[in-house]
Amino acid sequence: MCLGAPGQVVDVAGTRARVDFFGVQREVSLDLVDEPVSVGDYVLVHVGFAIRRIPSDEIDQTLDFFAKLSRDADQHEAGPPHPTPADASRT
Amino acid sequence: MSSAANTNHPLSFRDVQRGQALQARLRQVVAAVRRPLTVMHVCGSHEQVIARYGMRESFPADLHVQMGPGCPVCVTDAPDIDAVIALADAGVHVLTYGDMLAVPGSAESLSDARTRGAHVDVIYAATQALTIARSHQDPVVFFATGFETTAVATAAILLQDPPPNLFVYSAHKWVPAAMEIVARLPGSPIEGFLAAGHAATITGSAIFESFVDTYRRPVVVAGFEPLDVLSGLICLVECIRDSRCEVVNAYPRCVTRPGNQRALAVLHRVFQMGDGPWRGIAQIPGGELELRAEFAQHDARRRFATLLATAARRTHKPPSDTCRCGAIMTGMAQPTDCVHFGQTCRPESPIGACMVSSEGPCRIWFESGAPHRAKAAESRS
Ligand code: SF4
């Protein structure tokens, strides 16, 4: 039940939308999504409700983020030995 | 990542080359810490991705990724399942999400009740509960389980002028409260948490800020594609390496700092936090989402209070004390530490809820096979 699925909006009628999930279409409620949704948008859906409109520029940003992480400079690697768990502040 | 499906769909972050680059980066940052470290994810869907793409074998040997209390099916308490079975047996039409069907209560499951002839139906969307109740006169009880993402859906249908015969039996849970329990456990080896990106889509990443300040462990919000999990782990290990206790949002395409305010308003309008039992773990203060008094006329716990009290006296037995689900979900044990694992406890004959759910740690470990078990045994020795 926890599985959220991203899909693409193919039709909007009031607060309902038809969403394509990798080939399977389902009707979804737009009552909980916090932005206007239009045809072509990607949305994240949980148990029949869209909970997020996924802006397409943020999909590109995610890919940039992955690239940045893989490229990240290794400046830390030569630093002093890392504290052991006992050194780390704990409550 | 072995055999990761590489599709061109813009939402499938499964690209093999990117995955390999991120894996290399993860090895690098773990090596830079120069000691073994243990982190926990708090979402059954993270474990599913890790198992489905064979990621666990590719994690660096010094990185232990523990499963946390992130399977909603596993933490739904047996007496709640007993209660809903009692309602079904009394002739009430019960609706449930499919993954709750086979979970054993104290004695049996909703599926057993259905086999006996009780009226139990599976739904996949909360709005189906509305549709079904509107097309009947008789009482319909929706067994509402799961975390923030399913709780908002339950809340939404209760704000859509539900018919008087629709009742909700809420067993919804609030995840941040369970993370606190894990962080407070004496001797907990957990140095950082990978938080569930979909719950955080609702709550916002800001919800973890006070947790990070109080418990001095970093929290990284991560998504559910293989690349999301890898990048989340990299961010988490970087925080540990740098002794940075902060919240990192590694799932920015879905999660914002304030979260989905519209959905949160709906959630808080309908539910309030109460103390509730998480199966096998503890009674968790603030861990249960209770219907507010305003929705009492749709609250199955109130409407059927007498019947439920009688049933509770009749059926409640202490759960098996040899099932180690609780220790597993709090990061203190692995499925392979349980004597029943793969022997007397298997998916077709489960002892605990962790072997039933497709998001349950024991089930996922069992189905993803021996290499994981071997690695776990090796890392303990
Ligand atoms: S293997 Fe079965 S009995 Fe053991 S902890 Fe897992 S669910 Fe419980």
Side-chain angles (χ1 to χ4, degrees):
Chain A
M1 81 190 73
C2 216
L3 270 188
Q8 189 169 28
V9 176
V10 292
D11 190 29
V12 178
T15 61
R16 312 284 298 166
R18 252 197 124 45
V19 176
D20 179 85
F21 299 96
F22 296 72
V24 180
Q25 292 198 358
R26 282 222 158 128
E27 195 167 310
V28 155
S29 165
L30 300 177
D31 283 327
L32 293 175
V33 72
D34 54 357
E35 284 180 289
V37 166
S38 13
V39 172
D41 282 347
Y42 290 101
V43 286
L44 176 64
V45 176
H46 266 268
V47 290
F49 284 84
I51 57 169
R52 165 84 176 160
R53 175 181 160 265
I54 308 173
S56 52
D57 53 339
E58 290 191 20
I59 294 171
D60 295 337
Q61 277 173 25
T62 301
L63 295 174
D64 290 346
F65 172 65
F66 292 153
K68 182 184 166 296
L69 274 184
S70 347
R71 267 199 321 264
D72 245 356
D74 297 331
Q75 71 264 33
H76 297 278
E77 266 72 323
H82 187 77
T84 63
D87 302 330
S89 53
R90 290 267 174 96
T91 50
Chain B
M1 268 177 301
S2 61
S3 69
N6 185 7
T7 89
N8 289 325
H9 193 285
L11 294 180
S12 73
F13 293 96
R14 298 173 194 179
D15 180 85
V16 171
Q17 265 177 345
R18 285 194 177 95
Q20 284 165 348
L22 289 172
Q23 273 172 350
R25 179 64 193 160
L26 181 61
R27 278 196 296 276
Q28 220 173 24
V29 289
V30 169
V33 178
R34 286 188 236 120
R35 59 176 175 76
L37 65 163
T38 303
V39 299
M40 173 179 273
H41 66 67
V42 200
C43 184
S45 303
H46 279 151
E47 189 60 31
Q48 278 182 332
V49 172
I50 289 170
R52 185 178 316 135
Y53 294 93
M55 294 170 73
R56 203 169 271 282
E57 298 102 289
S58 75
F59 290 158
D62 271 350
L63 176 66
H64 301 289
V65 182
Q66 278 281 1
M67 296 154 285
C71 162
V73 177
C74 306
V75 300
T76 302
D77 208 30
D80 284 331
I81 297 171
D82 296 345
V84 176
I85 292 174
L87 292 175
D89 282 341
V92 176
H93 185 181
V94 167
L95 306 177
T96 176
Y97 291 127
D99 31 14
M100 288 308 303
L101 209 55
V103 184
S106 305
E108 50 174 14
S109 66
L110 278 163
S111 169
D112 297 329
R114 185 156 79 165
T115 308
R116 273 203 313 274
H119 197 175
V120 178
D121 280 325
V122 167
I123 60 174
Y124 63 85
T127 45
Q128 287 177 281
L130 269 184
T131 315
I132 292 170
R134 282 185 182 133
S135 61
H136 291 84
Q137 302 285 311
D138 297 335
V140 171
V141 168
F142 172 33
F143 186 23
T145 48
F147 301 136
E148 291 85 335
T149 49
T150 51
V152 285
T154 304
I157 62 168
L158 286 177
L159 294 177
Q160 286 176 17
D161 192 21
N165 61 326
L166 177 67
F167 302 95
V168 166
Y169 187 102
S170 172
H172 283 303
K173 307 272 188 280
W174 182 249
V175 175
M179 284 172 63
E180 294 191 25
I181 293 287
V182 172
R184 274 206 294 262
L185 280 179
S188 167
I190 310 302
E191 293 184 58
F193 291 87
L194 206 61
H198 291 164
T201 302
I202 307 285
T203 59
S205 61
I207 193 146
F208 301 113
E209 288 168 5
S210 63
F211 174 89
V212 157
D213 289 342
T214 308
Y215 299 100
R216 309 305 303 157
R217 315 283 219 287
V219 172
V220 174
V221 179
F224 299 97
E225 293 292 344
L227 300 187
D228 291 319
V229 172
L230 281 172
S231 55
L233 287 171
I234 293 169
C235 294
L236 191 54
V237 176
E238 284 179 342
C239 286
I240 295 168
R241 177 195 65 189
D242 302 341
S243 304
R244 267 187 288 126
C245 283
E246 59 186 34
V247 180
V248 178
N249 179 3
Y251 195 33
R253 68 184 185 280
C254 285
V255 177
T256 59
R257 187 171 173 275
N260 181 337
Q261 290 289 323
R262 184 177 182 188
L264 268 182
V266 166
L267 182 97
H268 291 303
R269 165 109 198 270
V270 172
F271 290 107
Q272 63 193 16
M273 273 67 163
D275 296 353
W278 286 49
R279 185 173 189 159
I281 300 178
Q283 182 81 8
I284 299 189
E288 185 94 354
L289 292 171
E290 298 169 347
L291 288 177
R292 289 184 183 278
E294 198 187 331
F295 297 89
Q297 75 277 23
H298 293 290
D299 189 342
R301 291 177 189 264
R302 298 184 205 219
R303 163 67 175 76
F304 301 101
T306 317
L307 193 159
L308 291 173
T310 316
R313 277 197 299 278
R314 205 172 51 232
T315 62
H316 183 51
K317 294 187 219 117
S320 158
D321 56 2
T322 49
C323 168
R324 304 202 63 198
C325 281
I328 292 165
M329 290 188 289
T330 47
M332 308 303 278
Q334 310 269 31
T336 40
D337 294 330
C338 174
V339 291
H340 301 295
F341 181 77
Q343 308 294 322
T344 42
C345 185
R346 303 168 69 89
E348 64 278 9
S349 55
I351 293 178
C354 293
M355 189 57 93
V356 179
S357 164
S358 59
E359 293 172 56
C362 296
R363 167 86 172 263
I364 294 173
W365 274 44
F366 183 84
E367 288 184 342
S368 58
H372 305 175
R373 299 201 287 276
K375 185 176 173 188
E378 191 186 283
S379 66
R380 282 196 310 277
S381 61

